[in-house]
Amino acid sequence: KGGGEAKRQRTEILLDLEEGAAKNISAKYQLDYLNDIPNMVVFSNDPADPLGAITIEGTVENHCVARPVLDEKYKQITRTRVQTAEKRVRQTALIGQDDIQDARAMEMRPVHIGPTARERELIKQQKEDRKFILTVPEEQWRQETEARIFGLFEMTPRWSIQELTKKLEVSIHRLKPVVGRLCVYIKGGPYKGLYELKDELKTEGQRVQKAQDEARAAAENPP
């Protein structure tokens, strides 16, 4: 180990489910091992035990995340789910005399002219959702969006959320969680209100550029 902790070797493992057990779910998964050492133990109990005694089975040496492989079957399953969710189901309901009277009473109530501020905001959000409709699986969209964000920050070190939305053509409410995982929000100083990449995600050149910017700002604004 040379006096230091040995780094874990990343091993790529693929899981293939039996064809009969994977009708509506993905049949192939990739296991991504997490680098941190888990501090967990595994417990189990016997349902037949009236006292419900718990037994410690052992410690966890490795833990990982199973991610579906973006093959053609998974894409087809995702498209089918989207189409099923968007399909409207028609229902027939019998209207009684009480329902007719309630409807007539509602017609006689005064109505406001034009939508409220809340309704206008909701209509605007719905238009954005229709404009930026998801046409690829969620995981694939996230990976592609993250790659584009890294490319933008290589061009310019700081961006506002509005600028990123315009460049990527993604609605703010969909983009913010992705930006939150990759970037930090600057709360003060000359770049207040902008986002920059987290230090651990920056290239060496980007770290050098940030150090130069901070040194220049300190020289221009001495304490």
Side-chain angles (χ1 to χ4, degrees), residues 31-166:
L31 292 183
D32 291 338
Y33 277 90
L34 305 181
N35 292 327
D36 56 322
I37 300 176
N39 184 20
M40 294 184 290
V41 293
V42 178
F43 295 87
S44 66
N45 64 336
D46 184 2
D49 187 349
L51 300 179
I54 296 178
T55 304
I56 300 178
E57 298 291 343
T59 59
V60 178
E61 295 292 338
N62 300 283
H63 62 144
C64 56
V65 177
R67 303 185 188 278
V69 176
L70 298 177
D71 56 7
E72 187 57 37
K73 179 177 180 180
Y74 180 71
K75 293 178 182 179
Q76 180 60 40
I77 291 173
T78 304
R79 286 193 292 267
T80 302
R81 289 174 179 173
V82 173
Q83 292 170 359
T84 302
E86 292 179 347
K87 185 177 180 181
R88 293 186 177 183
V89 179
R90 295 183 178 272
Q91 295 180 345
T92 302
L94 297 178
I95 300 177
Q97 190 64 30
D98 293 340
D99 297 322
I100 296 176
Q101 292 178 355
D102 292 341
R104 289 175 178 172
M106 289 294 294
E107 291 177 354
M108 298 178 64
R109 293 183 180 179
V111 295
H112 67 276
I113 301 175
T116 63
R118 173 62 180 167
E119 290 171 340
R120 287 195 297 270
E121 183 65 25
L122 182 60
I123 293 172
K124 180 180 178 182
Q125 189 64 60
Q126 290 173 345
K127 288 182 178 179
E128 286 190 5
D129 291 342
R130 287 194 295 269
K131 180 179 178 182
F132 304 115
I133 185 170
L134 183 63
T135 57
V136 297
E138 178 70 19
E139 182 66 17
Q140 180 180 343
W141 174 86
R142 183 186 62 79
Q143 293 175 358
E144 293 174 354
T145 302
E146 288 181 353
R148 296 174 65 192
I149 289 175
F150 283 124
L152 290 175
F153 277 96
E154 287 180 2
M155 298 167 50
T156 303
R158 299 168 193 88
W159 294 82
S160 68
I161 190 66
Q162 290 79 10
E163 291 171 337
L164 290 174
T165 299
K166 185 176 180 181

